[in-house]
Amino acid sequence: KGLFPVDVEEQLAQWVRDMDKALDAMLADYKALDRYVKDDSIMDDGVAGKKLAERLGASHAAFMAARDSYLEVVAERAAQAEEVLLRDHPLRRQIVAAEKIFALFRKAAGLLGPEKPDQAALEKVRQELESLLAGAGRPPFPAPPELERSFRAFLREAALFPQGLARGLAEGFYSPLRRDLNKIAARSREAYNSFARAANGV
């Protein structure tokens, strides 16, 4: 309370309600689709299944629209808070770069949602990631060597993501590659969390 103006608080709450509603609809349609697939007595050439799949797609689109709008507002405020908190931090450049890297991971995930992803937009994300990773790895690193090693382990893991994007742009974003990209993003987050714990002396 009080972090956002009242009208923004109300909009954030509405987006949460929209996400909840879309999730409920998706779960109900998944269950209906599961029953439909298992019922051998239905002879409709997949008509009902296609309708359920379309409804699932529409609910997912509604969820993602609400989620993206919510995160856009919250991320902007988080960035303002982070700017204050990190103003005199010796590793400010590295920490800010890491957050931008994760933001690009999320952007890529959104772009990979459609069956035919926007190749030009994904190439732009890939280039931005390459540039950020190069900048984040540049010296100096004003911290003990073991902390630098931990940060560089994160960078090595994160560097696999633009490599995966390049592969997808050349060969197609098939399901195994999409799963690999998700795993790389998760491992990168784990590696960064290890660095953050070490940096905070936890």
Side-chain angles (χ1 to χ4, degrees):
K1 285 288 182 185
L3 188 60
F4 297 96
V6 173
D7 60 327
V8 177
E9 277 186 8
E10 289 172 359
Q11 184 60 72
L12 289 168
Q14 182 58 54
W15 284 325
V16 170
R17 287 191 294 272
D18 291 346
M19 285 187 275
D20 283 344
K21 183 179 174 184
L23 279 174
D24 288 343
M26 281 191 283
L27 287 171
D29 285 335
Y30 272 126
K31 287 176 184 174
L33 188 59
D34 183 55
R35 286 192 302 272
Y36 173 79
V37 169
K38 290 177 179 173
D39 189 344
D40 294 332
S41 68
I42 299 172
M43 308 291 275
D44 69 346
D45 291 326
V47 172
K50 286 175 186 168
K51 284 182 182 173
L52 285 167
E54 286 171 10
R55 286 197 339 225
L56 278 165
S59 295
H60 181 260
F63 176 88
M64 292 305 290
R67 174 187 173 272
D68 290 347
S69 297
Y70 182 95
L71 287 176
E72 187 177 344
V73 172
V74 173
E76 184 180 335
R77 183 55 59 91
Q80 292 168 2
E82 189 173 64
E83 180 65 32
V84 173
L85 292 170
L86 293 177
R87 190 165 289 145
D88 298 318
H89 197 290
L91 296 174
R92 180 182 180 281
R93 177 172 59 88
Q94 288 82 1
I95 293 167
V96 169
E99 287 309 313
K100 288 179 180 175
I101 287 166
F102 289 121
L104 286 172
F105 283 3
R106 290 189 295 274
K107 185 173 183 180
L111 290 168
L112 287 168
E115 193 174 328
K116 291 185 177 178
D118 183 335
Q119 302 272 320
L122 282 165
E123 172 58 19
K124 187 176 177 191
V125 168
R126 188 197 67 75
Q127 290 174 7
E128 288 178 34
L129 274 170
E130 292 280 7
S131 176
L132 267 173
L133 287 159
R138 277 197 321 266
F141 191 92
E146 60 271 17
L147 195 55
E148 182 173 5
R149 281 193 292 276
S150 178
F151 186 74
R152 293 204 178 279
F154 153 68
L155 291 179
R156 280 193 303 277
E157 193 64 58
L160 298 174
F161 198 93
Q163 291 173 23
L165 288 179
R167 201 172 114 215
L169 287 163
E171 302 170 10
F173 288 97
Y174 301 106
S175 294
L177 178 57
R178 288 174 187 244
R179 282 194 298 273
D180 285 347
L181 288 169
N182 286 336
K183 288 176 185 174
I184 291 165
R187 288 196 308 264
S188 298
R189 177 57 75 179
E190 287 170 15
Y192 182 76
N193 286 345
S194 294
F195 158 74
R197 282 193 296 272
N200 290 323
V202 176

